[in-house]
Amino acid sequence: MTQEAFIGDGWREVIAPLSKLVDLDETARASGALVRRREIKSGEDLLRLAVAWSVGGLSLRRSAAWAGTSGLAELCDSAVLRRLRKAADWLEGLVQSVVRARAPSAGAEGRLIRLVDGSTVGVVGSDRPGWRLHTAFDLPNGRIGDVVLTPASEGEGLERLPVVAGELCIADRGFARPDGLRHVVDHGGDILVRAGSRSLKLEIDGKPLDWMAVFAAAERDGFYDGAVLVLNGRKSRKTWPPLPLRLIVKPLPPEAAEAARQRLRRAGQRERYEPSRLAVAAAGHVMLVTSLSREHSQADELLALYRLRWQIELAFKRLKSLLEMRAVPTKDPGLAKTWLYANLLIALLTEDYGAELAESSPCAP
C-alpha cells in the first residue's frame, strides 16, 4: 500500500476491518473527539483527516486544503489543529481495539512467544527523543501484539505491558529489573531475559552470586546453568519474597568476546572511566535469566530461542522506514499523540492486510 491509498481511492479498503470492529461515530462521540458535526460529519471523516495529516505527511495547512478539495470539509488550518488535538484519546482507543481483536491465546496454537522491547521517537527541532513505544511482537504470527505509548522520560519495563497467561516473554537486558520480572511471572507468564552482571541482585545458597566463579564454570564446561534467587534490591517500600529463576551463562566465541570487550573499553574512554574487572569479564558472555525449568527446556534451546529477539528490531525498522515514524512533526503533546496513534493504527491494519494476502496466496501452505 502507498500513502495515497490511505487518503485516496483505497481508503475504504484500508479501514474496512476497523469498521467491523468498532462504531467509528459512537466511539468518536464517546471520547469527545467529535462533539459538533459542523464541518466534520462523521468519525470516518475525522479518521481520514488524521491519517492524511500523519501518514500522508501533510502540514496542517495542506491538510485543510486537501480536506476542501476532496470534499471532506471546509476547514482552516487552526480548525484542523483543534480537531486533531482532540482526537488523540479516540485514536488510542482504536489502536487498542485492533490489538485486542488480534490478541492470540497462549494455548491456541502452541506457546505464544512474545518479544518485548522499546523504541524512542524523536521530535522535529529537538536533539532528544520525545516519545517511547513499549511494544510486544508476537510469534509465530509475526505481528505487533501490544503497544503502549509514553513520554521518552519514562523508562522501559515489562510491567508496562499486559501479560497473556502462558506466554513466554523474551526481552533484552534493559528489561532485567525485579518488578518487571515479577510482573510477568505473577500474571502467569514465563520469562527469558538477558541480564547484566549488575542489573539484578542474585543470590545462591543464601549468598550473593559470585559472577567470576560462574564465568569460570561456564568457560570450563561450555555453559553454566544453575538456580538463583532474584532479590528486590532497589530502595523502595515494595517488599516481596525472592523470585526463584534459572541463570544460564554462555561464553561468546573468542572473536566476538574480544570485540565486545573492545567496545566496552572504548565506551570507558569516551566517558572517562575504567571498566571494572567484572565488567570486562561479563562482556565476553551471554547471560540469561528464565523461569523455565530444565525439565522443559535445555540451555542450548533457550540460547537459540533468545536469538529470535532480533525480529522485534525489524518491526521497529518497518515502522520508522515504511511509515517514516522517525520524528514527530510537532512539540504539542496532544497533536504528537494523534500523529503517533494514527501511524500505529495504520501499521496494525497494514499488518493484518499483509497477513490476509499471504494466506490467500497460491503459494501459501
Side-chain angles (χ1 to χ4, degrees), residues 173 194 252 255-270 273 275 283-284:
R173 71 185 73 193
R194 189 166 185 175
L252 292 172
E255 292 184 1
E258 182 56 31
R261 289 168 181 144
Q262 288 295 336
R263 288 193 296 270
L264 176 66
R265 293 187 180 102
R266 286 196 295 270
Q269 290 173 354
R270 288 195 302 270
Y273 71 88

Side-chain angles (χ1 to χ4, degrees), residues 12-260:
R12 288 294 175 85
E13 182 181 3
V14 171
I15 68 163
L18 180 63
S19 300
K20 295 177 182 178
L21 286 178
V22 298
D23 186 322
L24 294 175
D25 287 347
E26 180 60 31
T27 54
R29 285 198 302 270
S31 68
L34 187 64
V35 178
R36 299 179 180 179
R37 301 191 182 197
R38 292 180 178 176
E39 299 88 8
I40 301 295
K41 305 299 184 183
S42 67
E44 180 183 331
D45 288 347
L46 178 58
L47 178 59
R48 195 176 181 192
L49 177 64
V51 172
W53 171 67
S54 57
V55 182
L58 304 181
S59 65
L60 293 173
R61 181 168 297 179
R62 289 183 62 197
S63 296
W66 169 83
T69 57
S70 64
L72 187 73
E74 294 296 331
L75 299 166
C76 63
D77 53 354
S78 60
V80 171
L81 183 150
R82 290 193 297 272
R83 294 283 187 175
L84 294 178
R85 184 185 286 154
K86 293 173 62 177
D89 291 342
W90 177 54
L91 290 167
E92 179 182 5
L94 296 182
V95 167
Q96 294 305 322
S97 294
V98 175
V99 167
R100 287 193 298 269
R102 67 188 352 202
S105 168
E109 298 179 359
R111 163 157 272 191
L112 168 66
I113 298 175
R114 175 158 280 192
L115 314 177
V116 174
D117 204 353
S119 181
T120 56
V121 180
V123 177
V124 170
S126 175
D127 58 356
R128 295 184 177 182
W131 300 90
R132 189 184 304 275
L133 299 175
H134 309 265
T135 308
F137 188 76
D138 294 346
L139 299 178
N141 58 19
R143 297 188 296 183
I144 295 172
D146 220 320
V147 60
V148 173
L149 175 67
T150 68
S153 58
E154 299 186 17
E156 300 171 333
L158 296 178
E159 64 272 23
R160 294 196 179 279
L161 295 166
V163 178
V164 178
E167 74 170 58
L168 173 60
C169 173
I170 301 178
D172 203 356
R173 71 185 73 193
F175 293 87
R177 298 176 181 174
D179 287 340
L181 303 181
R182 170 71 72 179
H183 169 76
V184 176
V185 173
D186 284 355
H187 287 81
D190 280 306
I191 55 169
L192 180 62
V193 178
R194 189 166 185 175
S197 59
R198 297 184 181 276
S199 57
L200 294 170
K201 187 176 181 180
L202 301 180
E203 188 177 89
I204 183 169
D205 295 332
K207 298 179 181 179
L209 181 72
D210 185 344
W211 279 106
M212 298 306 292
V214 167
F215 295 147
E219 296 283 352
R220 182 186 66 244
D221 301 330
F223 67 91
Y224 174 90
D225 187 353
V228 294
L229 293 176
V230 177
L231 307 181
N232 188 4
R234 295 188 174 185
K235 295 180 180 179
S236 69
R237 295 182 179 179
K238 292 182 179 180
T239 58
W240 38 263
L243 178 64
L245 293 180
R246 178 180 166 200
L247 174 66
I248 299 172
V249 178
K250 175 75 173 179
L252 292 172
E255 292 184 1
E258 182 56 31

Side-chain angles (χ1 to χ4, degrees), residues 121-124 131 326-332 335-337 339-340:
V121 180
V123 177
V124 170
W131 300 90
R326 299 184 185 89
V328 181
T330 175
K331 295 181 180 180
D332 182 292
L335 278 180
K337 290 176 68 176
W339 188 89
L340 287 161

